Amino acid sequence: MSTPPTSSTPSTPPATRDALAGTWRLLAYEVEVRATGERFPAMGTRPTGYTHFSRGGRVWFLLTADGRPPGEDDAARADLLETLIAYTGRYRIEDDDWITAVDVAWNPAWVGTEQRRQFALDGDRLEVRTPWRVMPNWAEYGETRSLVTFERDDTAP
């Protein structure tokens, strides 16, 4: 028996929110360059990270590049920001998109924005595509989009 949506989540189909709910482990992160069609592993071949969708409507992202050395000085610590994506906020679902109203982010320019992501579920796989945009981590490529694959992580509480 499904629970009817509450007044606070009228646009979110419960089955879709239920299907996304939980913790997902990062499997792959590629970036596609719009001008050339080139794809590259912008965060290395073995990036790490997780995303978590709460049943209450909050999502968290923490993605890091592989091979990140500890920051031993100010310059090295600043460089670590180039190999990190982290944000959280309330999310809603519209068709095959989820939209996050960002309230905390590694990049303060994202706070107060809405981040839209297309997604597709295939069993325990979550495929994610960002819209074309200039990403602060690799702005030198111009417009890019991220192609991200997650796998459900049943070991998380």
Side-chain angles (χ1 to χ4, degrees), residues 13 15 17 24 26 48 50 54 56 59 65 69 95 99 110 115 126 129 134 143 150:
R17 179 169 279 175
W24 300 81
L26 181 66
T48 57
Y50 289 88
S54 77
V59 63
D95 300 319
I99 299 94
W110 281 30
Q115 297 295 313
L126 172 62
R129 266 192 331 262
V134 176
E143 284 194 330
F150 292 94

Short mmCIF file of all heavy atoms in Angstrom, two decimals, residues 13 15 17 24 26 48 50 54 56 59 65 69 95 99 110 115 126 129 134 143 150:
data_model
loop_
_atom_site.label_atom_id
_atom_site.label_comp_id
_atom_site.label_asym_id
_atom_site.label_seq_id
_atom_site.Cartn_x
_atom_site.Cartn_y
_atom_site.Cartn_z
N PRO A 13 6.51 12.21 -6.82
CA PRO A 13 5.84 10.91 -6.76
C PRO A 13 6.49 10.03 -5.70
O PRO A 13 7.71 9.85 -5.71
CB PRO A 13 6.06 10.33 -8.16
CG PRO A 13 6.52 11.46 -9.02
CD PRO A 13 7.15 12.46 -8.10
N ALA A 15 6.74 6.82 -5.24
CA ALA A 15 7.50 5.66 -5.71
C ALA A 15 8.89 6.08 -6.17
O ALA A 15 9.87 5.40 -5.93
CB ALA A 15 6.75 4.95 -6.82
N ARG A 17 10.61 8.85 -5.23
CA ARG A 17 11.39 9.25 -4.05
C ARG A 17 11.82 8.00 -3.29
O ARG A 17 12.96 7.90 -2.86
CB ARG A 17 10.59 10.18 -3.16
CG ARG A 17 11.41 10.56 -1.92
CD ARG A 17 10.83 11.66 -1.13
NE ARG A 17 11.19 12.92 -1.77
CZ ARG A 17 10.75 14.09 -1.35
NH1 ARG A 17 9.94 14.17 -0.33
NH2 ARG A 17 11.12 15.19 -1.96
N TRP A 24 24.17 5.93 -2.24
CA TRP A 24 24.68 5.47 -3.52
C TRP A 24 26.17 5.73 -3.58
O TRP A 24 26.62 6.83 -3.28
CB TRP A 24 23.99 6.21 -4.66
CG TRP A 24 22.50 6.02 -4.68
CD1 TRP A 24 21.57 6.67 -3.93
CD2 TRP A 24 21.78 5.10 -5.49
NE1 TRP A 24 20.31 6.22 -4.23
CE2 TRP A 24 20.41 5.26 -5.19
CE3 TRP A 24 22.16 4.17 -6.46
CZ2 TRP A 24 19.42 4.51 -5.82
CZ3 TRP A 24 21.17 3.43 -7.08
CH2 TRP A 24 19.82 3.59 -6.76
N LEU A 26 29.73 6.07 -5.67
CA LEU A 26 30.20 6.49 -6.99
C LEU A 26 30.96 5.36 -7.68
O LEU A 26 31.87 4.78 -7.09
CB LEU A 26 31.11 7.72 -6.85
CG LEU A 26 31.68 8.29 -8.14
CD1 LEU A 26 30.56 8.88 -9.01
CD2 LEU A 26 32.73 9.34 -7.82
N THR A 48 36.20 8.76 -5.91
CA THR A 48 35.43 8.21 -4.81
C THR A 48 34.32 9.17 -4.43
O THR A 48 34.42 10.37 -4.69
CB THR A 48 36.31 7.93 -3.56
OG1 THR A 48 36.95 9.15 -3.18
CG2 THR A 48 37.35 6.87 -3.86
N TYR A 50 30.03 9.54 -2.59
CA TYR A 50 28.70 9.04 -2.28
C TYR A 50 27.68 10.14 -2.49
O TYR A 50 28.01 11.33 -2.42
CB TYR A 50 28.61 8.58 -0.81
CG TYR A 50 29.39 7.33 -0.54
CD1 TYR A 50 30.74 7.39 -0.19
CD2 TYR A 50 28.79 6.08 -0.65
CE1 TYR A 50 31.47 6.24 0.05
CE2 TYR A 50 29.52 4.93 -0.41
CZ TYR A 50 30.85 5.01 -0.06
OH TYR A 50 31.57 3.87 0.16
N SER A 54 17.56 11.40 1.25
CA SER A 54 16.73 11.07 2.40
C SER A 54 15.27 10.97 1.95
O SER A 54 14.86 11.60 0.97
CB SER A 54 16.87 12.13 3.50
OG SER A 54 16.13 13.28 3.17
N GLY A 56 12.99 12.22 3.51
CA GLY A 56 12.42 13.51 3.85
C GLY A 56 12.69 14.61 2.84
O GLY A 56 12.21 15.72 3.00
N VAL A 59 19.21 15.86 -0.20
CA VAL A 59 20.25 15.10 -0.87
C VAL A 59 21.60 15.67 -0.47
O VAL A 59 21.73 16.88 -0.26
CB VAL A 59 20.06 15.11 -2.41
CG1 VAL A 59 20.16 16.51 -2.99
CG2 VAL A 59 21.02 14.16 -3.10
N ALA A 65 38.32 13.35 -6.39
CA ALA A 65 39.18 12.73 -7.40
C ALA A 65 40.05 11.68 -6.76
O ALA A 65 40.30 11.70 -5.54
CB ALA A 65 40.05 13.80 -8.06
N PRO A 69 46.51 14.06 -2.71
CA PRO A 69 47.51 14.08 -1.63
C PRO A 69 47.04 14.99 -0.50
O PRO A 69 46.24 15.90 -0.73
CB PRO A 69 48.74 14.67 -2.32
CG PRO A 69 48.17 15.57 -3.36
CD PRO A 69 46.91 14.89 -3.84
N ASP A 95 9.51 14.86 -13.41
CA ASP A 95 9.73 13.90 -14.49
C ASP A 95 11.03 13.12 -14.23
O ASP A 95 11.13 12.48 -13.22
CB ASP A 95 9.73 14.60 -15.86
CG ASP A 95 8.41 15.30 -16.14
OD1 ASP A 95 7.36 14.71 -15.82
OD2 ASP A 95 8.43 16.43 -16.66
N ILE A 99 15.79 18.31 -8.77
CA ILE A 99 16.27 19.67 -8.64
C ILE A 99 16.60 19.88 -7.17
O ILE A 99 15.77 19.66 -6.30
CB ILE A 99 15.21 20.70 -9.11
CG1 ILE A 99 14.87 20.48 -10.58
CG2 ILE A 99 15.72 22.12 -8.90
CD1 ILE A 99 13.69 19.61 -10.81
N TRP A 110 27.25 28.36 -5.55
CA TRP A 110 26.11 27.47 -5.72
C TRP A 110 25.04 27.67 -4.66
O TRP A 110 23.89 27.29 -4.87
CB TRP A 110 26.58 26.02 -5.71
CG TRP A 110 27.18 25.55 -6.99
CD1 TRP A 110 27.86 26.29 -7.91
CD2 TRP A 110 27.17 24.22 -7.49
NE1 TRP A 110 28.28 25.50 -8.95
CE2 TRP A 110 27.86 24.22 -8.71
CE3 TRP A 110 26.66 23.03 -7.01
CZ2 TRP A 110 28.04 23.07 -9.47
CZ3 TRP A 110 26.83 21.89 -7.77
CH2 TRP A 110 27.51 21.91 -8.98
N GLN A 115 20.15 23.32 -8.64
CA GLN A 115 20.96 22.46 -9.51
C GLN A 115 20.05 21.36 -10.05
O GLN A 115 19.48 20.60 -9.27
CB GLN A 115 22.14 21.87 -8.73
CG GLN A 115 23.11 22.92 -8.23
CD GLN A 115 23.80 23.65 -9.36
OE1 GLN A 115 24.28 23.03 -10.30
NE2 GLN A 115 23.84 24.97 -9.28
N LEU A 126 22.27 4.04 -10.69
CA LEU A 126 21.72 5.37 -10.86
C LEU A 126 22.63 6.11 -11.84
O LEU A 126 23.81 6.30 -11.57
CB LEU A 126 21.68 6.10 -9.51
CG LEU A 126 21.33 7.59 -9.51
CD1 LEU A 126 19.92 7.81 -10.05
CD2 LEU A 126 21.47 8.15 -8.09
N ARG A 129 23.03 12.78 -15.36
CA ARG A 129 23.58 13.73 -16.34
C ARG A 129 23.26 15.13 -15.86
O ARG A 129 22.12 15.44 -15.54
CB ARG A 129 22.93 13.53 -17.71
CG ARG A 129 23.69 12.64 -18.62
CD ARG A 129 23.18 12.71 -20.07
NE ARG A 129 21.78 13.04 -20.24
CZ ARG A 129 20.82 12.15 -20.44
NH1 ARG A 129 21.09 10.87 -20.49
NH2 ARG A 129 19.59 12.53 -20.61
N VAL A 134 29.25 25.69 -17.65
CA VAL A 134 30.67 25.87 -17.39
C VAL A 134 30.88 25.52 -15.92
O VAL A 134 30.37 26.20 -15.03
CB VAL A 134 31.14 27.31 -17.68
CG1 VAL A 134 32.61 27.48 -17.31
CG2 VAL A 134 30.92 27.64 -19.15
N GLU A 143 31.69 24.80 -22.09
CA GLU A 143 30.51 24.06 -21.66
C GLU A 143 30.79 22.57 -21.63
O GLU A 143 31.30 22.00 -22.60
CB GLU A 143 29.32 24.34 -22.59
CG GLU A 143 28.68 25.68 -22.35
CD GLU A 143 27.33 25.78 -23.02
OE1 GLU A 143 27.10 25.13 -24.08
OE2 GLU A 143 26.49 26.51 -22.48
N PHE A 150 26.32 5.78 -10.25
CA PHE A 150 26.34 5.34 -8.86
C PHE A 150 25.75 3.93 -8.77
O PHE A 150 24.95 3.52 -9.61
CB PHE A 150 25.46 6.25 -7.98
CG PHE A 150 25.98 7.64 -7.81
CD1 PHE A 150 25.53 8.66 -8.64
CD2 PHE A 150 26.88 7.95 -6.81
CE1 PHE A 150 25.98 9.96 -8.49
CE2 PHE A 150 27.33 9.26 -6.65
CZ PHE A 150 26.89 10.24 -7.48
#
